[in-house]
Amino acid sequence: MAEDNDSPEKNKQLDDRLNYLESVARDTVARLYEIEKRLGLVFGAVPRELKTATRDERADQLSRLRAAEEALKSTAPEKQAAQKEQHTTESRQPRETSGRSEQAPPLRPARVPDQPGHIETPAAPVQPITAFPPTPAEHSKAGTTPTAVFSEPHVAKAPPTALHPVTPASRAEQMRQPQTLRPHEASQERPDLESRIGGRWLLWIGVIAISFGMAFFLKYAFDNQWITPGWRINIGVAIGLAFLICAERLRGRYPIYSNGLSGGGIFILYLSIFVGFNTYALIPQLLAFVLMAAVTATASLLAARYSALPIAILGLIGGFLTPILLSTGVDNEVGLFGYIALLDLGVLALAYSKHWRSLNYMAFVATVAMFAAWMISWYRPEKLWTTITFMTVFFMIFALLAVFHNVIKRRPTLWIDLAMVFSNALLYFSLSYELLDDNHHGILGLFAVLVSGFYMLLGYFAYNRDREDSLLIYTFLGLAFLFAVLAVPIQLDQHWVTMGWALEGAAMTWIGLRSGDRTSRYGALVVFGVAVAHWFRVDVQEFAYHANEVFLPLLNRRAISCAVLVGALAASVMFYKRMKSNVGEEERSMFSGLYLLGANTLAVILLSIDANDYFEQAKVASSATDHVMSVGN
């Protein structure tokens, strides 16, 4: 009976303890849930009933706890051991109270949002909590207030993984490593000859064939008077515009074919406007000029928009042919050169934005050709200063071109860039000398100094902006030295052409050795050949001894130009000797021997012809004296 009486009391005590543990667990989980919510972590499977207990609930829990403690004090020690064993057994089984599970749902590990460079690794297994909170009786024995004590869960370490986080540094290191193309990728990057012929060459051949076919058809129709002249021009313009519209519509799917259609449309528009002006006189000159300029601008815009170099070349050709095709036989220097200057600026701006160097060279050649053709046909002395002004404008445009393309953009200088720099400088100075020599010879020395100072400034700017481009820097400085040296013989009325070629050869040799550029060194050999040929063909003949002239051996204009040429060859030999580490032994021995042989040969030839002219002068003087004496007798 005693056991029956103890059974309800024991159950009540166990129920109180379980309620107490449940309240502690619920409070702890609720606090953890609030913490995770504030940290922004994802928390899954949280019962909706988890919340912090109110004040009344806490008071009720405390009263029940005290009642349980009083009951436990009167319980025998052996009963306490049995209760502990029974409590342990029951706590491991799920027990429902008020329609819900006593066992709290397992907490899922929070998932950290994906971050760049983060590689998720498998989560380590978490061991279950084995410690159990102390009983209220144990708290009372220890003299402490009951608190929930949880042991830290034991987290097993995850096995080491071979994956490493991808950091920006490692990603940059991977980007710096050379990428190897697979065979099929290499074939896509470099189309073979067959694809170029079928995809590009035949396309342009077809466009040209269609254009010529249209021209012959229209000519046949015109010859048979099928179409009036006005409608002929309208049909040509309509066909050209149709080509451009079709090219625009096909641009997305067939870019190569659309470029061909655009080029054909531009060509047909040029042809239609020219025929309307020149053949039928239906379009006035000013209107035709404006229309052709508009077609050129359209070609430039299409080339810039679609990165189509062939269209840009077609626009360049059409732009320079426009003044020739629309010429009426009347000179208009300001209008012609103003148009060419604007055309050069537009073409060079397009080449600068698209990195098309070929447009620079073609624009330079076309400008020189147009200027030379005008000089031959229309130049008169009264147009001197207008001509010098436009020459200076063109010279500045192409001189600064190397600065914009090579210095500011930091592109490596090629041999063709140097060729254009040298050609621009020499053509400008030579033509200016020829124009100013007759009536303004006294300012030519100052003019050479000004050109030298201009190239000195370019060299200084290139040195401060891009010191790695030593080839261009030495070229600018070499030209500055060349014109500074030429200022002296020009001002002293010496024959400077041979001297100029000789000094340029020495400067190119020095530039080629300092910068390690073989093209400049081989170019210097060609320049020396031109200087030697000019000395034999011009200086030897023009400055030889003539009757009724005083001839001084080694102090005449022929000897001075030859001395400069010999000195330039000797200086080149010295450059090869001092900078022999910058060139191969074979080239050094060959060029040094050739220059040394040329210098000695020229010196011997000069001494021979000067001695011959001196004795010829003495012979003439002796003959004249004998003649005077015979007449006197």
Side-chain angles (χ1 to χ4, degrees):
M1 294 296 294
E3 293 179 0
D4 294 337
N5 294 332
D6 292 339
S7 179
E9 184 179 357
K10 182 171 62 176
N11 291 336
K12 185 177 181 301
Q13 293 174 1
L14 291 175
D15 185 61
D16 291 339
R17 291 181 62 187
L18 290 175
N19 289 334
Y20 168 73
L21 292 175
E22 181 184 2
S23 63
V24 171
R26 290 168 60 84
D27 288 342
T28 304
V29 173
R31 291 190 183 96
L32 291 176
Y33 178 61
E34 292 294 333
I35 292 173
E36 289 183 345
K37 282 201 307 182
R38 293 193 179 186
L39 293 177
L41 303 177
V42 180
F43 193 88
V46 179
R48 288 178 294 178
E49 295 84 358
L50 290 181
K51 60 181 180 179
T52 305
T54 61
R55 182 178 299 178
D56 295 338
E57 292 176 349
R58 290 180 181 177
D60 182 58
Q61 292 173 3
L62 184 58
S63 62
R64 287 188 296 172
L65 177 61
R66 290 176 179 175
E69 289 177 353
E70 293 295 335
L72 289 173
K73 289 180 181 180
S74 60
T75 306
E78 60 273 9
K79 291 184 179 181
Q80 292 181 3
Q83 291 174 0
K84 285 184 180 181
E85 182 179 357
Q86 183 180 1
H87 177 75
T88 304
T89 304
E90 293 177 356
S91 63
R92 294 178 181 177
Q93 299 177 357
R95 181 173 180 269
E96 295 184 358
T97 303
S98 303
R100 61 179 180 271
S101 175
E102 290 185 10
Q103 186 177 3
L107 299 180
R108 297 181 182 177
R111 179 181 178 87
V112 181
D114 294 336
Q115 299 177 358
H118 174 74
I119 297 180
E120 184 178 356
T121 56
V126 181
Q127 300 295 335
I129 300 174
T130 57
F132 196 80
T135 61
E138 294 172 348
H139 282 295
S140 62
K141 290 179 180 179
T144 59
T145 58
T147 56
V149 180
F150 290 88
S151 63
E152 295 183 358
H154 175 71
V155 181
K157 294 184 179 180
T161 176
L163 298 176
H164 300 282
V166 181
T167 61
S170 62
R171 190 181 301 274
E173 185 67 25
Q174 294 177 2
M175 294 177 64
R176 284 194 294 266
Q177 295 178 356
Q179 302 293 333
T180 58
L181 293 177
R182 298 178 181 177
H184 69 279
E185 294 176 351
S187 62
Q188 294 176 359
E189 292 292 333
R190 297 181 179 179
D192 55 3
L193 179 61
E194 182 180 357
S195 62
R196 287 200 300 268
I197 294 176
R200 297 179 184 272
W201 297 357
L202 292 181
L203 167 66
W204 287 104
I205 293 174
V207 170
I208 295 173
I210 292 175
S211 301
F212 278 101
M214 183 62 64
F216 283 118
F217 170 75
L218 292 177
K219 183 179 183 302
Y220 184 78
F222 299 161
D223 293 340
N224 290 275
Q225 300 298 323
W226 294 351
I227 306 173
T228 61
W231 279 104
R232 298 171 188 177
I233 304 303
N234 293 333
I235 290 174
V237 173
I239 293 175
L241 294 177
F243 270 46
L244 295 180
I245 294 173
C246 291
E248 187 70 20
R249 291 184 174 273
L250 296 176
R251 185 72 59 182
R253 292 181 296 174
Y254 308 103
I256 297 178
Y257 292 97
S258 62
N259 290 339
L261 290 176
S262 298
I266 295 296
F267 176 78
I268 293 174
L269 289 176
Y270 274 129
L271 181 64
S272 301
I273 297 172
F274 171 71
V275 171
F277 164 77
N278 188 66
T279 304
Y280 301 113
L282 296 176
I283 304 176
Q285 182 189 20
L286 180 60
L287 179 59
F289 187 85
V290 171
L291 291 176
M292 280 198 168
V295 174
T296 302
T298 302
S300 300
L301 292 176
L302 290 176
R305 181 179 179 182
Y306 302 118
S307 298
L309 179 59
I311 299 178
I313 295 175
L314 184 61
L316 173 68
I317 296 174
F320 277 98
L321 286 179
T322 296
I324 300 175
L325 298 177
L326 301 181
S327 176
T328 58
V330 179
D331 179 33
N332 185 6
E333 181 183 7
V334 176
L336 173 64
F337 290 150
Y339 167 78
I340 293 177
L342 293 177
L343 181 61
D344 282 337
L345 291 175
V347 171
L348 297 180
L350 177 61
Y352 177 80
S353 62
K354 295 297 181 180
H355 302 178
W356 290 335
R357 287 185 171 181
S358 56
L359 288 182
N360 300 334
Y361 314 137
M362 288 188 287
F364 177 73
V365 172
T367 302
V368 171
M370 292 287 290
F371 199 93
W374 180 88
M375 287 287 297
I376 294 173
S377 302
W378 301 104
Y379 177 73
R380 300 292 182 272
E382 58 270 14
K383 302 177 182 179
L384 171 64
W385 295 112
T386 305
T387 305
I388 291 291
T389 301
F390 279 107
M391 282 176 53
T392 305
V393 170
F394 294 138
F395 165 73
M396 295 289 290
I397 289 175
F398 290 102
L400 295 176
L401 182 63
V403 175
F404 284 102
H405 269 270
N406 301 106
V407 178
I408 296 179
K409 283 287 188 177
R410 296 182 181 272
R411 299 169 184 162
T413 302
L414 305 178
W415 67 269
I416 194 169
D417 298 327
L418 296 184
M420 189 171 67
V421 170
F422 274 106
S423 301
N424 183 44
L426 295 179
L427 287 174
Y428 172 68
F429 188 81
S430 301
L431 189 55
S432 299
Y433 181 90
E434 292 295 329
L435 295 178
L436 296 173
D437 187 37
D438 293 335
N439 300 319
H440 304 86
H441 183 81
I443 65 173
L444 287 177
L446 177 61
F447 178 71
V449 172
L450 292 177
V451 176
S452 174
F454 173 73
Y455 278 107
M456 184 66 70
L457 291 177
L458 291 184
Y460 178 76
F461 178 79
Y463 178 77
N464 288 333
R465 186 64 181 265
D466 186 13
R467 298 188 180 184
E468 296 180 358
D469 196 354
S470 58
L471 185 59
L472 186 61
I473 295 173
Y474 292 144
T475 300
F476 286 150
L477 296 180
L479 287 173
F481 170 78
L482 170 65
F483 290 113
V485 173
L486 287 180
V488 177
I490 288 175
Q491 194 65 31
L492 297 178
D493 197 19
Q494 297 294 324
H495 199 70
W496 62 273
V497 177
T498 301
M499 301 180 191
W501 286 113
L503 293 174
E504 183 180 354
M508 291 182 66
T509 301
W510 178 75
I511 292 170
L513 290 173
R514 288 297 301 268
S515 62
D517 182 61
R518 178 180 297 181
T519 304
S520 299
R521 300 194 298 269
Y522 280 79
L525 180 62
V526 176
V527 171
F528 276 127
V530 173
V532 172
H534 188 274
W535 186 78
F536 276 106
R537 294 191 59 183
V538 178
D539 295 19
V540 172
Q541 302 297 328
E542 289 188 3
F543 305 131
Y545 167 73
H546 298 286
N548 301 324
E549 291 184 0
V550 178
F551 180 80
L552 297 176
L554 303 181
L555 293 178
N556 52 76
R557 300 171 70 180
R558 178 181 61 191
I560 293 176
S561 62
C562 183
V564 173
L565 179 55
V566 171
L569 291 171
S572 298
V573 175
M574 182 185 65
F575 294 153
Y576 270 101
K577 183 178 180 181
R578 290 189 175 182
M579 292 179 277
K580 58 183 179 181
S581 60
N582 298 342
V583 69
E585 179 64 26
E586 182 180 358
E587 179 184 345
R588 185 183 67 84
S589 60
M590 181 180 66
F591 277 65
S592 298
L594 186 61
Y595 291 157
L596 191 60
L597 177 62
N600 290 325
T601 303
L602 287 173
V604 171
I605 292 175
L606 175 64
L607 291 175
S608 300
I609 59 178
D610 267 22
N612 181 71
D613 287 348
Y614 175 76
F615 286 112
E616 185 68 23
Q617 179 185 13
K619 181 180 178 181
V620 171
S622 177
S623 299
T625 303
D626 293 341
H627 178 70
V628 171
M629 292 178 63
S630 63
V631 171
N633 294 329

